[in-house]
Amino acid sequence: TGNPTLKETTFVGAASRAEGVMTLQGTVNKTGIALLILVASAALAWSHVLGVGMILPTLWTGLIGGLILSLVTVFKTEWAPVTTPLYAVFEGLFIGTISLLFNVRYPGIAFNAAALTLAILAALLLAYRSGWIHPSENVKLGIAAATGGIALVYLVSMGLSLFGKSIPLIHGSGPIGIAFSLFVVALASANMVLDFDFIEQGAAKRAPKYMEWYGAFALLVTLVWLYLEILRLLAKLQDRRR
């Protein structure tokens, strides 16, 4: 899978270390709880940071806190029942603040991005559970390679931004910039399908119960990525109309 939180060894040898086993329904339930926590945290940030002048502190607190907790969760999977809800809190602060900033400039964009993200999640889950989507090993490899390439592009872009530079065209609202965002949205959506597949494998291998929280964490990572990319895409489309 292209999701860095899930890999071939994620579930290996885990079942013997826990009481109870991972199930698909349990993972769905944990994902729902994590999403509710994220939405509540985002709503809190949305409604308070502007009035008290805490936009940048909240943004950086959510970003850095979420990054730290994601690394802890990846390396200490057994801590997922604690770190996943905490990750949702910090990521909610980040998402709520950045959504507010986008919404100030583009009224209504945050709601549209959230609706599209949930619609894609529902459609992909339905398609996967119905057997309409079944990625082959070659497709999985291609998605993983493309995801690594995009991650490298973003790392280079972040490095260039420190010197006041940027990769030309892909961040603009021109045809190339919009096509790039469409590609990344499609890639994030494809990663979600691979996440479903890995979680199903974990349940089939009777991974320990705490891996339900880890599966929820992995899905949350992809959902946040997808939401941010849709937000960027909609912003580019609105810029193009102006």
Side-chain angles (χ1 to χ4, degrees), residues 14-180:
S16 62
R17 301 197 301 267
E19 297 179 0
V21 294
M22 178 182 185
T23 65
L24 288 176
Q25 187 58 53
T27 305
V28 170
N29 294 340
K30 303 300 191 300
T31 302
I33 293 171
L35 273 175
L36 286 175
I37 294 172
L38 186 147
V39 170
S41 178
L44 180 66
W46 177 289
S47 60
H48 286 84
V49 296
L50 193 60
V52 297
M54 291 289 289
I55 291 179
L56 286 180
T58 305
L59 184 71
W60 283 105
T61 297
L63 180 61
I64 296 173
L67 177 60
I68 292 172
L69 283 163
S70 65
L71 292 174
V72 171
T73 308
V74 168
F75 290 105
K76 287 288 186 178
T77 55
E78 63 271 23
W79 293 1
V82 175
T83 57
T84 298
L86 289 175
Y87 170 79
V89 171
F90 280 94
E91 205 65 21
L93 294 177
F94 172 70
I95 291 295
T97 306
I98 202 168
S99 297
L100 177 62
L101 293 175
F102 269 86
N103 209 68
V104 168
R105 184 172 180 182
Y106 311 98
I109 191 173
F111 175 80
N112 292 335
L116 283 171
T117 302
L118 292 177
I120 290 173
L121 170 63
L124 289 176
L125 184 58
L126 175 63
Y128 182 80
R129 295 300 295 160
S130 301
W132 300 339
I133 302 176
H134 186 71
S136 66
E137 292 303 317
N138 288 335
V139 170
K140 293 178 184 179
L141 181 62
I143 294 173
T147 303
I150 291 298
L152 181 60
V153 168
Y154 281 160
L155 285 174
V156 171
S157 182
M158 289 173 61
L160 290 175
S161 68
L162 298 176
F163 302 96
K165 306 290 184 180
S166 65
I167 300 176
L169 301 177
I170 64 172
H171 298 301
S173 58
I176 294 178
I178 291 174
F180 176 79

